Amino acid sequence: MTTPSPPPAAPLTRLVHAGKHPAFDGGSPVNPPVVRASTVLFDSVAQQREMRERRGDERLFTYGARGNPTSFALEDLVSELEGGYRTRLFPTGLAAIAMTLLSYLKPGDHVLMSDSVYEPARKLADSFLAPYNIRCTFFAADGSDVEEKIEAGTRLIYAECPGSLIYEMCDLPRLAKLARARGLLLVADNTWGSGCQYRPLALGADVSIMAATKYLSGHSDVMMGTVVTTKEAWPALAERSDAFGMTVSPDDAYLVLRGARSLAARLAMHESHGLQVAHWLQLRNEVATVFCPALPDHPGHALWQRDCKGSNGLVSFELQPGFNQDAAERLIDRLQLFGIGASWGGYESLVTLADMRRARSVADWSARGQMIRLHVGLEDPADLLADLAQGFAALAA
Ligand SMILES: *Cc1c(COP(=O)(O)O)cnc(C)c1O
């Protein structure tokens, strides 16, 4: 077959049509290029028809809303990292959670959610699912009461392990066994583990969600959520996500891909620095409890040892109950190297005041002290400890 030669074209026309050849003369760049597209062009009506027929099952570049070659590259990386069948990308981690719940639940269903979930996920279940007659019950963060809370209409168990803010561990393989025996779906938020330190699918979960906004991107400059599933769980997520027009920008996918290349190296350093800070905090009289699953006295330490490959830069600490919120705020405001801000997982240190009473409904935090969450970054730990020391000095003031 001969390629038809282009008709002679005026500069204006050439400007519109030049440079469309997809292949590169010479070699290829190391990183997948950013491919921006809404419209994707086909050679013929027949080809367009064929691609549309096949795109339900196959991942084909057919329209921007269905993904693009840059986002496909990131999907492959996440599937590889999490050990899953396929991955969908979402504009934020929260959107990934919302789409997962919408994909697998229908009116009349009941969902069991861990007491340790990321707070906006709790809010989503509490305020938005209820009007659609999807009920939610929270179970203890260690998973001990899951069995007794399963109802006839229960469809899904939603875990987050280690949990948000204080990193409770649950026995995910045990929950997977329970779920399988009753035909329930097991979903896990794996943002803490980021596919390196924890792998829910390998432990029996059907679906794993990550806020790639955190460690995968690693540079505090892009939002992204990922959902990876087993082969069996895939069709429901894919169909619902396509129906809702869920996609991500290729520029954002590029940034996450770029960040993810150094994920393991950054995590190792965050873990080392985090542990140095955790050990230092354990020696402070003002501190009641330090939370990090890698610490031997953390309640979930044995499960962490069994199921996790390492930890990260997240360390929370509870002040002695004698210190009120004003005191905690004085400590935080005095810090110079720890930025005050939401999110975590970037290269820099962060601090935030956590409201445990709002964040838990099964566990009772009414008599406990103020909770401060640190994200320990890649700075020199000695500088971070010096900064914390002068923060603690402000407690007395
Ligand atoms: C941050 C976070 C999310 C949400 O991610 P966004 O990209 O900020 O929407 C979900 N789960 C956990 C555990 C998180 O820490």
Side-chain angles (χ1 to χ4, degrees), residues 92-94 97 118 160 164 189 191 211 213-214 223-224 343-344:
T92 66
L94 184 56
I97 295 170
Y118 175 66
E160 185 181 319
S164 274
D189 183 330
T191 302
T213 308
K214 310 281 170 57
M223 307 290 303
M224 182 86 62
S343 205
W344 46 268

Side-chain angles (χ1 to χ4, degrees), residues 106 108-112 135 137 146-156 182-184:
K106 61 181 190 317
D109 284 348
H110 173 248
V111 52
L112 276 169
R135 288 176 315 102
T137 307
V146 166
E147 213 155 358
E148 67 198 56
K149 286 183 172 169
I150 293 176
E151 302 177 10
T154 306
R155 165 87 184 100
L156 189 154
R182 290 166 171 80
L184 314 181

Side-chain angles (χ1 to χ4, degrees), residues 53-75:
E53 279 163 7
R54 285 168 48 191
R55 72 182 181 186
D57 300 322
E58 296 171 56
R59 189 182 60 187
L60 298 167
F61 186 36
T62 58
Y63 185 54
R66 300 280 183 138
N68 53 74
T70 319
S71 68
F72 294 163
L74 176 56
E75 287 175 3

Side-chain angles (χ1 to χ4, degrees), residues 156-177:
L156 189 154
I157 301 175
Y158 183 101
E160 185 181 319
C161 180
S164 274
L165 302 174
I166 56 169
Y167 327 112
E168 302 99 321
M169 293 291 304
C170 67
D171 189 338
L172 209 66
R174 191 182 79 84
L175 293 192
K177 230 162 130 188

Side-chain angles (χ1 to χ4, degrees), residues 299-353:
H301 184 68
L303 284 173
W304 174 82
Q305 273 189 314
R306 190 191 72 184
D307 294 341
C308 293
K309 292 227 157 38
S311 69
N312 58 29
L314 288 170
V315 176
S316 301
F317 61 99
E318 177 195 6
L319 292 174
Q320 298 288 2
F323 294 104
N324 62 15
Q325 188 174 328
D326 283 348
E329 289 185 18
R330 279 201 306 279
L331 188 162
I332 291 173
D333 287 345
R334 181 72 69 87
L335 298 174
Q336 295 299 305
L337 293 176
F338 288 83
I340 302 169
S343 205
W344 46 268
Y347 53 86
E348 84 292 8
S349 289
L350 291 174
V351 58
T352 189
L353 188 63

Side-chain angles (χ1 to χ4, degrees), residues 235-247:
L237 177 82
E239 281 162 27
R240 197 55 67 97
S241 303
D242 283 338
F244 278 59
M246 286 290 171
T247 193

Side-chain angles (χ1 to χ4, degrees), residues 56-57 85 88 90 99-105 155-156 185 207 227 229-244:
D57 300 322
Y85 171 62
R88 284 294 298 226
F90 298 91
M99 204 61 232
T100 300
L101 295 175
L102 284 172
S103 296
Y104 297 110
L105 295 170
R155 165 87 184 100
L156 189 154
L185 201 76
V207 178
V227 183
T229 79
T230 59
K231 192 167 187 211
E232 296 68 39
W234 175 254
L237 177 82
E239 281 162 27
R240 197 55 67 97
S241 303
D242 283 338
F244 278 59

